[in-house]
Amino acid sequence: MAPQASAVEKDNLFIPLVDFSLFLNGTTAERTQAAEFILKGFQNAGFIYLTNHSIPLPTVSHVFSTSAKFFDRPQLEKEAVGWTTPESNRGYVSHGREKVSILTDKDAVEAIRGQAPDLKESFEIGREGAEGTPNNWPSGDEAAKEFKETMLKFHDQCKVLHIEVMRAIAVGMGLEEGYFDGYTDVGDNTLRLLHYPEVKKDVFKNNKLQVRAGEHTDYGSITLLFQDNRGGLQVKSPDGTFVDAIPIPGTVVINAGDLLARWSNDTIKSTLHRVVEPPAPEVGDVHPARYSCAYFCNPNFDRMIEAIQGTYGGEKGPKKYEPINSGDYLVQRLAATY
C-alpha cells in the first residue's frame, strides 16, 4: 500500500489528504485503497481532506463571492428571510442567535451564549421542494435571483459528493458500494453559508471564552466544509489539545457526525472541533472577515438509524445505541442549539 499523505499531523492527530479521483476514476485496487484511507481517517481522526473531488474549483469560488454579496445586504433585508423553527432549519441566522456546543440542555446553552456568543451569521438552505418547509429566499433584484440559482446548483453538487463519499465508506467497511444509497438519495441536507465578520483582536484578549464558533460535534452523517484562507478551524486531538486544521487550497474538509458514529457503533469518530481566533494579522489590530460553506449531510429523514452489522458482536461488544429516526434526531439537536 502506498504511504498516506497527511493534511494535519500533530499531537497524535493524523488527518489524511486523500486524492478522491482515485476512488472516482481509478482501478479496482486504487478505489479500494482510497476507500480504506477515507475510512481510516474517519475511524482515527473523524476528519479527512479530499483533493481532486467532483466539484469544480471555479464553482466553489463563485459560491463564496455570491455568499459574501448576500451578507453585505442591509440587516433588515436579511432578517426578512430569518430562520424560524428546528423543523424547517432554513433562512438567515443573525449574530449571536446560535450557540453551537456539546450541550443538549437548552438552558445550559443559553448560559454559555450569554458569556460568549458565537461571532458569526449564517444562511441555511435545505432541500428545495420539501413539503411544509420552503426555503426562505431573498427576492426583489437580480442578485437575489442569482443567489438562489447558484445555491440550488451547489446544493445538488454537494449532494452528489455526499453520495460518493458514503459509497467510499461502504467500500472501506467491506459493504456493498451502494449500501448507503437508499439513505442518501432524497438529499435531506443543509447548506450553511457562514460569515465571521471582522473583529478586533482585543475581543479575544478581553474574553478568554470568546470564539467564533464554540466547541462542538456535528449532528448528521458527514459534513463537507469549504473554507477560505483565513484559518481558525481547530480539531481536538487524542492528546486533548486543539490542533489547527489549516486551509489547503482546492480541498474540501470532511468530518464525521454524530449519526454516522451511532451508525458505526462508534467505530467511526465524531470529533470535537471549533472556530477560534485566527492567526494574528500582519498589520493592524483587526482580524479580517472569514467565510466558509458547510454542507451538513443527513440520512433521509424518514429512515431509522441503527448499528450496521459487523460493527458489534463478539470482541466488538454490544450495540451502544437504540435505533433512532434521522429526522427526529436532527430536530432534537437543533432545538437545543437555537
Side-chain angles (χ1 to χ4, degrees):
M1 179 178 288
Q4 176 60 68
S6 66
V8 176
E9 191 170 0
K10 184 180 179 181
D11 294 351
N12 289 311
L13 178 71
F14 179 91
I15 302 180
L17 176 66
V18 181
D19 182 350
F20 200 45
S21 68
L22 295 177
F23 181 78
L24 296 176
N25 305 307
T27 64
T28 299
E30 289 171 334
R31 297 183 81 246
T32 299
Q33 184 180 68
E36 290 173 352
F37 284 153
I38 287 169
L39 179 63
K40 286 181 179 178
F42 286 137
Q43 289 174 331
N44 296 329
F47 275 75
I48 63 172
Y49 283 60
L50 286 190
T51 187
N52 295 323
H53 50 82
S54 57
I55 300 179
L57 301 186
T59 296
V60 177
S61 296
H62 180 62
V63 167
F64 269 74
S65 62
T66 305
S67 172
K69 290 176 185 176
F70 169 79
F71 289 116
D72 280 342
R73 286 178 173 269
Q75 189 64 25
L76 286 177
E77 289 187 17
K78 292 185 289 187
E79 294 285 0
V81 290
W83 189 96
T84 52
T85 67
E87 290 76 14
S88 173
N89 193 31
R90 287 159 166 80
Y92 172 71
V93 180
S94 59
H95 297 280
R97 180 171 184 182
E98 182 192 26
K99 181 62 183 179
V100 292
S101 74
I102 58 175
L103 302 173
T104 57
D105 179 78
K106 195 172 183 65
D107 291 338
V109 173
E110 192 60 39
I112 62 169
R113 190 202 318 271
Q115 293 177 306
D118 286 354
L119 299 179
K120 69 178 188 297
E121 58 181 340
S122 65
F123 190 83
E124 319 289 321
I125 301 164
R127 175 169 62 87
E128 184 78 340
E131 185 176 354
T133 55
N135 281 307
N136 294 348
W137 297 111
S139 61
D141 53 36
E142 283 300 312
K145 180 180 178 182
E146 180 186 9
F147 178 82
K148 179 178 179 179
E149 291 174 351
T150 296
M151 298 310 165
L152 284 178
K153 180 179 179 181
F154 190 57
H155 197 288
D156 287 344
Q157 289 173 303
C158 288
K159 174 188 172 183
V160 172
L161 182 54
H162 172 213
I163 292 170
E164 292 167 342
V165 172
M166 295 304 293
R167 287 175 177 171
I169 293 172
V171 171
M173 295 179 74
L175 304 169
E176 291 291 331
E177 182 174 332
Y179 180 88
F180 295 110
D181 285 3
Y183 294 87
T184 59
D185 55 345
V186 174
D188 282 326
N189 309 317
T190 298
L191 171 60
R192 170 179 288 181
L193 311 177
L194 285 152
H195 171 222
Y196 303 89
E198 66 176 28
V199 58
K200 290 187 176 181
K201 289 189 289 185
D202 284 351
V203 170
F204 298 99
K205 181 179 179 181
N206 296 334
N207 184 354
K208 298 303 182 183
L209 297 175
Q210 187 63 67
V211 292
R212 278 179 156 173
E215 177 181 332
H216 65 285
T217 56
D218 291 347
Y219 310 149
S221 53
I222 61 173
T223 301
L224 316 179
L225 177 66
F226 303 84
Q227 54 179 338
D228 65 14
N229 62 0
R230 300 295 185 196
L233 174 66
Q234 294 185 329
V235 179
K236 195 166 189 177
S237 75
D239 292 354
T241 59
F242 276 95
V243 176
D244 291 329
I246 56 172
I248 299 178
T251 64
V252 54
V253 179
I254 306 182
N255 63 282
D258 295 342
L259 269 182
L260 183 55
R262 292 177 68 115
W263 220 343
S264 71
N265 210 40
D266 285 341
T267 57
I268 287 174
K269 293 182 179 179
S270 180
T271 304
L272 288 166
H273 53 285
R274 64 187 186 182
V275 181
V276 299
E277 180 182 10
E282 294 181 6
V283 294
D285 63 350
V286 175
H287 292 293
R290 177 181 186 263
Y291 293 89
S292 65
C293 298
Y295 188 77
F296 297 100
C297 305
N298 307 298
N300 298 344
F301 286 165
D302 64 349
R303 298 304 300 264
M304 295 297 294
I305 303 303
E306 60 181 314
I308 298 167
Q309 278 195 328
T311 63
Y312 59 90
E315 294 181 355
K316 297 177 181 177
K319 290 183 181 181
K320 295 183 178 181
Y321 306 99
E322 293 295 320
I324 193 166
N325 173 266
S326 170
D328 291 345
Y329 180 79
L330 182 65
V331 169
Q332 170 191 324
R333 295 296 301 273
L334 287 169
T337 302
Y338 289 90

